[in-house]
Amino acid sequence: MGTRFVVRRLPSLVLTWILVSVIAFVVMHVTAGNPAAMMLGEQASPAEVARLSRVLGLDQPLPAQYLHWMDGVIHGNLGNSIYLGEPVLRAIIQRLPITLSLTIVALTMAIVVGVSAGILAALRQGSWVDAAVMTVATAGLSMPEFWIGLMLILVFAVDMHLLPLMGYVPFTANPVGWFEHIIMPAFAIGFIQSAPIARMTRSSLLDVLHADYMRTARAKGLGAGRVVLRHGLRNAAIPVITTLGIILAALISGAFVVETVFDIPGVGYMMLQAVDNRDYPVIQGGIMMIASAILVVNLLIDLCYSLVDPRVEFR
Amino acid sequence: MMAARVEAADLEERAAARRRTWLRFRRARLLWLGTALLVFAVLAAFLGPVLFNLHPYRMDVAHILQPPSALYPMGTDEYGRSVLARVLFGTRLSLFVGVAVALITLGLGTTLGLVAAYFPSGDSAVMRVMDALMAFPSILLALALMSVIGPGTLNSVVVLAVVYLPATTRVVRATSKVALRLGYVEAAQALGASRLRVLVRHVLPGIMGPLLVQQTFILAYAILGEATLSFVGAGTPPPTPSLGNILSEAKSVIYEAGWLALYPGLAIAWLVLGVNLLGDGLRDALSVGSRS
């Protein structure tokens, strides 16, 4: 069943993916100026620029350049970074574990905090707990993650000297050091994304709490906790899972910005430097890889529905 | 005679509906709280500098990195400039960018969404492009676009409008598709009303509620987006004060001057909270989503 679903979704997914690649390519090529001139610097003569343009294939018409680039993308070759002097794909893969670990810790935090807060608010609907959770959630959605990062630095690093100010230590080198460096940036993005999860959990749980099967479950003597967790949450989970795709994209955006706040040398930090340096192969390859990953994750999330709710028919 | 009676009943019904809507508006506390926050922010940003003679560029070299005091209520930055003045001018810039992005996406998104909803041939073309744009994390796409057209306030407006356009288009398309199936729209079509007339006179008023709510959220996103772009150095460049670039300067002196990082962020949160509450309140008042 799952395979059939994937197969049926494939044409539109591929079409979207190709459009994504066209956007990533066109955006960088129409107005970014001549990359060869940028690589060589200001002293380069027009002849030198023309020669490098030929070597890089920049004298070809745009469609030909696009096809050449896409051929590379499909074969895992995203070109070479102008400033880092290494292949874009290798540069991304080297930094990926850092960004990935940050995103995963943040996502875990967002889900744990968001779902528990949402359950609490739904079970105590109308009480001060509910009001407090919803107020904090609305406030959380109104703050930029990089500012929360700065405030955490101010309190825990500058004032209390509890945590290191900035930087990063790999998990494999020193797990405790890794945790100390990752906790503030992860909280900065995780806290904000827990807000939409809390709101969504609350509203979808409220929708199912009064359903007949909930009354039946209570009537047959199940404990309150079991009723909420086994019957309520499972049925309330689908809208929440739907938002996870959006939340993941937001977490990645957040991770990119927060990496610069905490000087964490991840993919985001690299991409922002690439934006500064107009290192177009890195920007182009980076956004292409991230958008592709998000498309795949969204497909997986769609597949997840069936695990949570067997009634979902794959259409 | 019969027609006149029907018309009178119709008018009465409409007046009653208007009264109910007004009642919901009055009861929507969030709406008024959000409005109050925003009105205060607008007044402070536009009247404050005039009333208290505040200059965002004037340097007071005798008072560099001063903590908040009676003279400088939010302290001074590393050039001895008043942080209060810079925060207020940054607020103006945030409001400008936010409102501009909300208006541009309103115009373009409504047009594209209506085209997608009304013309099956345009639907898949428009929506596939929107899907592709939405596949990129918003800030990442904005950064890539900014790297191409270069930093600047107006460039941020253009880029953020492109980034948030799919959200408006999708809402307009989805709600107009529903509206197009309503009885009175089908009746107008059957009576021979032109396509444009059907869309503008019959569909558009029907989707105003959800659209308005959506645009308030885009206003909020755009304010956050502008701050983020300026913070990472891709948006409004200094010395023009933007809430984001003040925070970027604050990062380098966070040991010496924590207040520099505090107030611009509070200003962003104030603005965005105001807009979000306004949006939530509007949604409740217009009962978008649920017709209970």
Side-chain angles (χ1 to χ4, degrees):
Chain A
M1 206 179 204
T3 349
R4 249 178 60 202
F5 169 72
V6 173
V7 169
R8 218 173 294 169
R9 282 279 303 274
L10 219 49
S12 101
L13 195 73
V14 169
L15 189 64
T16 308
W17 186 71
I18 290 173
L19 274 170
V20 161
S21 73
V22 171
I23 293 173
F25 180 84
V26 167
V27 154
M28 299 311 297
H29 276 261
V30 171
T31 35
N34 188 344
M38 283 193 283
M39 277 188 213
L40 291 169
E42 280 170 14
Q43 284 90 27
S45 70
E48 284 175 307
V49 172
R51 201 172 58 235
L52 187 62
S53 296
R54 246 191 331 278
V55 172
L56 293 173
L58 294 169
D59 55 342
Q60 305 274 317
L62 271 188
Q65 285 189 46
Y66 169 74
L67 289 177
H68 179 76
W69 179 64
M70 275 307 273
D71 184 57
V73 169
I74 291 165
H75 293 97
N77 174 13
L78 295 174
N80 289 300
S81 159
I82 298 174
Y83 280 82
L84 301 169
E86 60 176 327
V88 173
L89 190 64
R90 201 209 294 163
I92 292 175
I93 288 173
Q94 268 173 3
R95 292 162 177 80
L96 202 56
I98 301 176
T99 306
L100 221 51
S101 66
L102 175 59
T103 314
I104 289 170
V105 175
L107 182 65
T108 314
M109 263 187 206
I111 292 176
V112 171
V113 173
V115 170
S116 355
I119 295 176
L120 267 179
L123 292 182
R124 304 267 177 276
Q125 190 194 2
S127 73
W128 68 268
V129 182
D130 185 18
V133 167
M134 285 301 102
T135 308
V136 174
T138 309
L141 282 173
S142 308
M143 292 184 258
E145 49 271 273
F146 65 86
W147 181 60
I148 296 187
L150 287 174
M151 290 298 104
L152 291 172
I153 292 180
L154 209 54
V155 173
F156 292 104
V158 176
D159 265 13
M160 298 168 75
H161 303 285
L162 270 178
L163 291 166
L165 191 60
M166 286 161 196
Y168 180 75
V169 175
F171 181 79
T172 44
N174 176 1
V176 177
W178 169 80
F179 185 75
E180 286 176 346
H181 282 91
I182 208 99
I183 186 77
M184 285 200 292
F187 184 84
I189 39 183
F191 167 68
I192 289 180
Q193 293 310 319
S194 72
I197 297 181
R199 283 168 75 130
M200 206 64 213
T201 307
R202 175 184 179 273
S203 71
S204 62
L205 197 57
L206 282 179
D207 280 346
V208 301
L209 274 182
H210 305 290
D212 286 345
Y213 56 78
M214 294 293 283
R215 201 178 48 207
T216 309
R218 275 190 292 268
K220 71 182 186 188
L222 281 184
R226 255 177 92 85
V227 171
V228 170
L229 290 179
R230 283 291 298 276
H231 295 262
L233 205 56
R234 182 156 182 173
N235 284 289
I238 290 180
V240 178
I241 292 174
T242 319
T243 56
L244 281 187
I246 301 165
I247 282 164
L248 192 76
L251 278 175
I252 293 174
S253 274
F256 277 36
V257 177
V258 163
E259 279 179 4
T260 53
V261 176
F262 290 90
D263 290 337
I264 295 172
V267 182
Y269 193 79
M270 176 186 73
M271 292 282 286
L272 281 168
Q273 281 184 324
V275 168
D276 261 0
N277 297 329
R278 295 191 148 203
D279 191 349
Y280 85 97
V282 172
I283 305 174
Q284 193 173 287
I287 63 175
M288 187 66 209
M289 272 199 60
I290 290 155
S292 310
I294 287 178
L295 284 178
V296 172
V297 168
N298 277 328
L299 184 72
L300 293 178
I301 286 174
D302 285 354
L303 273 171
C304 273
Y305 296 159
S306 72
L307 299 177
V308 183
D309 184 355
R311 287 170 310 182
V312 171
E313 281 282 322
F314 291 118
R315 265 161 293 156
Chain B
M1 174 119 163
M2 177 88 171
R5 214 181 305 147
V6 169
E7 210 163 84
D10 189 41
L11 280 178
E12 229 164 81
E13 172 62 33
R14 275 198 212 175
R18 261 202 302 277
R19 273 198 301 276
R20 278 198 300 274
T21 308
W22 177 235
L23 203 65
R24 277 205 304 267
F25 261 94
R26 269 199 358 219
R27 280 195 196 139
R29 271 184 305 169
L30 295 181
L31 183 81
W32 296 116
L33 186 57
T35 310
L37 288 177
L38 283 179
V39 167
F40 180 83
V42 170
L43 287 179
F46 288 92
L47 292 183
V50 184
L51 290 179
F52 300 103
N53 194 25
L54 296 166
H55 296 274
Y57 301 110
R58 187 196 284 156
M59 299 185 198
D60 181 355
V61 281
H63 296 92
I64 283 173
L65 289 181
Q66 291 290 304
S69 63
L71 184 58
Y72 296 109
M74 291 186 184
T76 61
D77 66 7
E78 51 188 329
Y79 300 103
R81 297 174 298 196
S82 159
V83 176
L84 175 62
R86 294 186 69 74
V87 164
L88 290 181
F89 278 85
T91 303
R92 285 187 188 182
L93 189 133
S94 289
L95 286 168
F96 166 74
V97 171
V99 171
V101 170
L103 288 178
I104 294 172
T105 52
L106 176 71
L108 284 179
T110 307
T111 314
L112 287 173
L114 285 178
V115 166
Y118 202 74
F119 303 100
S121 53
D123 191 17
S124 62
V126 170
M127 293 326 287
R128 278 296 90 73
V129 174
M130 295 300 140
D131 284 351
L133 281 175
M134 284 184 93
F136 300 99
S138 52
I139 286 303
L140 195 59
L141 181 60
L143 277 171
L145 293 171
M146 288 308 284
S147 79
V148 168
I149 65 174
T153 307
L154 288 179
N155 287 356
S156 316
V157 170
V158 173
V159 160
L160 291 171
V162 171
V163 169
Y164 296 123
L165 182 60
T168 307
T169 309
R170 284 171 79 128
V171 167
V172 172
R173 173 181 175 270
T175 48
S176 345
K177 280 206 151 176
V178 175
L180 276 167
R181 281 197 298 271
L182 292 178
Y184 66 91
V185 176
E186 284 184 348
Q189 280 171 316
L191 285 171
S194 72
R195 284 173 174 178
L196 194 66
R197 191 181 160 82
V198 168
L199 288 180
V200 174
R201 285 294 304 272
H202 300 287
V203 175
L204 207 52
I207 66 168
M208 265 339 246
L211 185 54
L212 208 61
V213 173
Q214 174 64 30
Q215 290 315 101
T216 59
F217 291 125
I218 287 192
L219 177 57
Y221 288 140
I223 292 174
L224 286 173
E226 191 284 324
T228 307
L229 287 178
S230 293
F231 176 73
V232 300
T236 301
T240 306
S242 125
L243 296 175
N245 73 26
I246 307 174
L247 283 169
S248 169
E249 286 165 12
K251 191 199 153 192
S252 52
V253 290
I254 198 155
Y255 259 111
E256 300 92 327
W259 60 89
L260 202 49
L262 177 65
Y263 297 112
L266 284 180
I268 298 172
W270 181 289
L271 280 178
V272 179
L273 185 64
V275 178
N276 277 337
L277 290 176
L278 182 72
D280 285 348
L282 270 180
R283 192 177 46 199
D284 296 347
L286 300 166
S287 21
V288 171
S290 63
R291 276 242 159 257
S292 51

